[in-house]
Amino acid sequence: MEKERQVLVVFPHPDDEAFGVSGTIATHVKHGTPVTYACLTLGEMGRNLGNPPFATRESLPKIRKKELLKAAEVMGIQDLRMMGLRDKTVEFEDDEKLTNMVSDMIEELDPSLVITFYPNYSVHPDHEATARAVVRAVRKIQEDKRPKLHCVAFSKGCEEELGAPNVVNDISHVLDTKLDAMKAHNSQTAWMLAEMEEKWLKKDPEVMKRFQYERFWDYQWENDQVK
């Protein structure tokens, strides 16, 4: 993995980073690269309140904030920014406001790499709104001065339309960190991790294949349709 000057990660929800990019983040941190993670919401509308319930709508944001702090600690992130937007409403935020939020961070940090979702290939409306804002912010920068923009895509058929991912990071050396980052978001992940962790510890090939590699697409500026 190429050593970067500064990495900026922008996602809307706590745990978005854990499943898709936590191994990549941990690797950059191990390389001595500063990583800033801007999480736009606290995921207060998360569907999992437990059975029996362990949280209410009022208490869930506090729980997820603690989980996010723990995940950042696990990955070694020193600069975690909670941007204060509300879960499931990012798509309704003013486009210019969102874009300027990202632009301000890019101007401050001067990242060599920005990581977010790929517009139109990330399923959730909050994911899509975040991705569009990041694209708009990077697009405002003079082309030869833009940071690299690596995007996570996971919608059905994304590879057929986007082609194979441009970047595939083997994060086997930090797999335990990735698992711990996912476990940190216990309120949302406990139900699925119990069975998976057993397979993980046994090095089940299917599980290893799923989590050992983190995949990114370079944003295709020549096909840019974000408004």
Side-chain angles (χ1 to χ4, degrees), residues 117-129 131 152-155:
F117 288 117
Y118 205 113
N120 299 321
Y121 298 96
S122 55
V123 181
H124 191 293
D126 281 358
H127 296 178
E128 297 290 352
V152 176
F154 60 95
S155 64

mmCIF file of all heavy atoms in Angstrom, residues 117-129 131 152-155:
data_model
loop_
_atom_site.group_PDB
_atom_site.id
_atom_site.type_symbol
_atom_site.label_atom_id
_atom_site.label_comp_id
_atom_site.label_asym_id
_atom_site.label_seq_id
_atom_site.Cartn_x
_atom_site.Cartn_y
_atom_site.Cartn_z
ATOM 1 N N PHE A 117 -17.797 6.698 -0.133
ATOM 2 C CA PHE A 117 -18.568 5.786 -0.971
ATOM 3 C C PHE A 117 -18.561 6.255 -2.425
ATOM 4 O O PHE A 117 -18.259 7.422 -2.713
ATOM 5 C CB PHE A 117 -20.017 5.696 -0.471
ATOM 6 C CG PHE A 117 -20.173 4.950 0.823
ATOM 7 C CD1 PHE A 117 -20.655 5.581 1.961
ATOM 8 C CD2 PHE A 117 -19.852 3.605 0.903
ATOM 9 C CE1 PHE A 117 -20.807 4.899 3.147
ATOM 10 C CE2 PHE A 117 -20.000 2.899 2.092
ATOM 11 C CZ PHE A 117 -20.475 3.552 3.215
ATOM 12 N N TYR A 118 -18.910 5.342 -3.318
ATOM 13 C CA TYR A 118 -19.019 5.681 -4.742
ATOM 14 C C TYR A 118 -20.467 6.085 -5.034
ATOM 15 O O TYR A 118 -21.391 5.321 -4.767
ATOM 16 C CB TYR A 118 -18.640 4.481 -5.622
ATOM 17 C CG TYR A 118 -18.143 4.898 -6.992
ATOM 18 C CD1 TYR A 118 -16.829 4.683 -7.372
ATOM 19 C CD2 TYR A 118 -18.981 5.532 -7.895
ATOM 20 C CE1 TYR A 118 -16.363 5.081 -8.619
ATOM 21 C CE2 TYR A 118 -18.533 5.939 -9.133
ATOM 22 C CZ TYR A 118 -17.214 5.707 -9.489
ATOM 23 O OH TYR A 118 -16.763 6.118 -10.720
ATOM 24 N N PRO A 119 -20.675 7.293 -5.569
ATOM 25 C CA PRO A 119 -22.043 7.722 -5.860
ATOM 26 C C PRO A 119 -22.776 6.742 -6.777
ATOM 27 O O PRO A 119 -22.202 6.233 -7.744
ATOM 28 C CB PRO A 119 -21.843 9.073 -6.569
ATOM 29 C CG PRO A 119 -20.503 9.540 -6.148
ATOM 30 C CD PRO A 119 -19.669 8.301 -5.953
ATOM 31 N N ASN A 120 -24.021 6.471 -6.438
ATOM 32 C CA ASN A 120 -24.916 5.577 -7.191
ATOM 33 C C ASN A 120 -24.620 4.099 -6.987
ATOM 34 O O ASN A 120 -25.311 3.252 -7.569
ATOM 35 C CB ASN A 120 -24.905 5.891 -8.694
ATOM 36 C CG ASN A 120 -25.371 7.296 -8.997
ATOM 37 O OD1 ASN A 120 -26.299 7.797 -8.369
ATOM 38 N ND2 ASN A 120 -24.719 7.943 -9.951
ATOM 39 N N TYR A 121 -23.618 3.773 -6.150
ATOM 40 C CA TYR A 121 -23.272 2.366 -5.940
ATOM 41 C C TYR A 121 -23.122 2.034 -4.461
ATOM 42 O O TYR A 121 -22.416 1.092 -4.105
ATOM 43 C CB TYR A 121 -21.986 2.021 -6.697
ATOM 44 C CG TYR A 121 -22.109 2.178 -8.190
ATOM 45 C CD1 TYR A 121 -21.689 3.336 -8.826
ATOM 46 C CD2 TYR A 121 -22.704 1.180 -8.972
ATOM 47 C CE1 TYR A 121 -21.831 3.500 -10.198
ATOM 48 C CE2 TYR A 121 -22.844 1.326 -10.338
ATOM 49 C CZ TYR A 121 -22.407 2.494 -10.943
ATOM 50 O OH TYR A 121 -22.555 2.657 -12.310
ATOM 51 N N SER A 122 -23.812 2.797 -3.602
ATOM 52 C CA SER A 122 -23.622 2.562 -2.169
ATOM 53 C C SER A 122 -24.932 2.432 -1.389
ATOM 54 O O SER A 122 -24.951 2.534 -0.166
ATOM 55 C CB SER A 122 -22.763 3.678 -1.556
ATOM 56 O OG SER A 122 -23.306 4.949 -1.821
ATOM 57 N N VAL A 123 -26.040 2.226 -2.115
ATOM 58 C CA VAL A 123 -27.314 1.706 -1.592
ATOM 59 C C VAL A 123 -28.101 2.680 -0.697
ATOM 60 O O VAL A 123 -29.221 3.061 -1.027
ATOM 61 C CB VAL A 123 -27.092 0.367 -0.850
ATOM 62 C CG1 VAL A 123 -28.413 -0.184 -0.327
ATOM 63 C CG2 VAL A 123 -26.409 -0.645 -1.771
ATOM 64 N N HIS A 124 -27.545 3.079 0.440
ATOM 65 C CA HIS A 124 -28.283 3.860 1.437
ATOM 66 C C HIS A 124 -28.309 5.339 1.034
ATOM 67 O O HIS A 124 -27.298 5.885 0.602
ATOM 68 C CB HIS A 124 -27.592 3.691 2.789
ATOM 69 C CG HIS A 124 -28.356 4.213 3.951
ATOM 70 N ND1 HIS A 124 -28.610 5.556 4.148
ATOM 71 C CD2 HIS A 124 -28.920 3.566 5.021
ATOM 72 C CE1 HIS A 124 -29.283 5.713 5.269
ATOM 73 N NE2 HIS A 124 -29.489 4.531 5.817
ATOM 74 N N PRO A 125 -29.462 6.025 1.183
ATOM 75 C CA PRO A 125 -29.535 7.451 0.811
ATOM 76 C C PRO A 125 -28.490 8.324 1.501
ATOM 77 O O PRO A 125 -27.956 9.254 0.899
ATOM 78 C CB PRO A 125 -30.956 7.845 1.225
ATOM 79 C CG PRO A 125 -31.739 6.588 1.143
ATOM 80 C CD PRO A 125 -30.792 5.503 1.566
ATOM 81 N N ASP A 126 -28.186 8.051 2.782
ATOM 82 C CA ASP A 126 -27.144 8.820 3.468
ATOM 83 C C ASP A 126 -25.774 8.565 2.848
ATOM 84 O O ASP A 126 -24.946 9.474 2.749
ATOM 85 C CB ASP A 126 -27.091 8.453 4.952
ATOM 86 C CG ASP A 126 -28.186 9.130 5.768
ATOM 87 O OD1 ASP A 126 -28.969 9.913 5.203
ATOM 88 O OD2 ASP A 126 -28.256 8.860 6.986
ATOM 89 N N HIS A 127 -25.524 7.306 2.461
ATOM 90 C CA HIS A 127 -24.261 6.983 1.777
ATOM 91 C C HIS A 127 -24.140 7.792 0.488
ATOM 92 O O HIS A 127 -23.085 8.362 0.177
ATOM 93 C CB HIS A 127 -24.205 5.491 1.420
ATOM 94 C CG HIS A 127 -24.200 4.574 2.589
ATOM 95 N ND1 HIS A 127 -24.201 3.190 2.440
ATOM 96 C CD2 HIS A 127 -24.190 4.801 3.928
ATOM 97 C CE1 HIS A 127 -24.196 2.622 3.628
ATOM 98 N NE2 HIS A 127 -24.192 3.579 4.551
ATOM 99 N N GLU A 128 -25.229 7.800 -0.259
ATOM 100 C CA GLU A 128 -25.214 8.464 -1.569
ATOM 101 C C GLU A 128 -25.008 9.979 -1.417
ATOM 102 O O GLU A 128 -24.234 10.584 -2.170
ATOM 103 C CB GLU A 128 -26.523 8.174 -2.310
ATOM 104 C CG GLU A 128 -26.768 6.704 -2.636
ATOM 105 C CD GLU A 128 -25.826 6.178 -3.709
ATOM 106 O OE1 GLU A 128 -25.087 6.969 -4.316
ATOM 107 O OE2 GLU A 128 -25.814 4.954 -3.927
ATOM 108 N N ALA A 129 -25.698 10.580 -0.462
ATOM 109 C CA ALA A 129 -25.567 12.022 -0.264
ATOM 110 C C ALA A 129 -24.150 12.384 0.165
ATOM 111 O O ALA A 129 -23.583 13.394 -0.276
ATOM 112 C CB ALA A 129 -26.572 12.499 0.781
ATOM 113 N N ALA A 131 -21.418 10.642 -0.516
ATOM 114 C CA ALA A 131 -20.542 10.438 -1.673
ATOM 115 C C ALA A 131 -20.610 11.606 -2.644
ATOM 116 O O ALA A 131 -19.579 12.088 -3.133
ATOM 117 C CB ALA A 131 -20.934 9.137 -2.382
ATOM 118 N N VAL A 152 -15.730 3.297 -2.115
ATOM 119 C CA VAL A 152 -16.254 1.978 -1.792
ATOM 120 C C VAL A 152 -17.589 1.805 -2.506
ATOM 121 O O VAL A 152 -18.468 2.671 -2.412
ATOM 122 C CB VAL A 152 -16.458 1.827 -0.269
ATOM 123 C CG1 VAL A 152 -17.096 0.481 0.058
ATOM 124 C CG2 VAL A 152 -15.138 2.003 0.468
ATOM 125 N N ALA A 153 -17.731 0.703 -3.233
ATOM 126 C CA ALA A 153 -18.980 0.391 -3.937
ATOM 127 C C ALA A 153 -19.418 -1.020 -3.557
ATOM 128 O O ALA A 153 -18.588 -1.928 -3.486
ATOM 129 C CB ALA A 153 -18.783 0.491 -5.447
ATOM 130 N N PHE A 154 -20.704 -1.199 -3.314
ATOM 131 C CA PHE A 154 -21.161 -2.547 -2.951
ATOM 132 C C PHE A 154 -22.582 -2.839 -3.423
ATOM 133 O O PHE A 154 -23.166 -3.865 -3.053
ATOM 134 C CB PHE A 154 -21.053 -2.772 -1.442
ATOM 135 C CG PHE A 154 -21.847 -1.825 -0.598
ATOM 136 C CD1 PHE A 154 -23.111 -2.157 -0.165
ATOM 137 C CD2 PHE A 154 -21.316 -0.598 -0.218
ATOM 138 C CE1 PHE A 154 -23.850 -1.282 0.618
ATOM 139 C CE2 PHE A 154 -22.045 0.275 0.577
ATOM 140 C CZ PHE A 154 -23.312 -0.062 0.990
ATOM 141 N N SER A 155 -23.150 -1.994 -4.244
ATOM 142 C CA SER A 155 -24.486 -2.283 -4.751
ATOM 143 C C SER A 155 -24.432 -3.461 -5.725
ATOM 144 O O SER A 155 -23.387 -3.767 -6.309
ATOM 145 C CB SER A 155 -25.074 -1.058 -5.446
ATOM 146 O OG SER A 155 -24.301 -0.720 -6.589
#
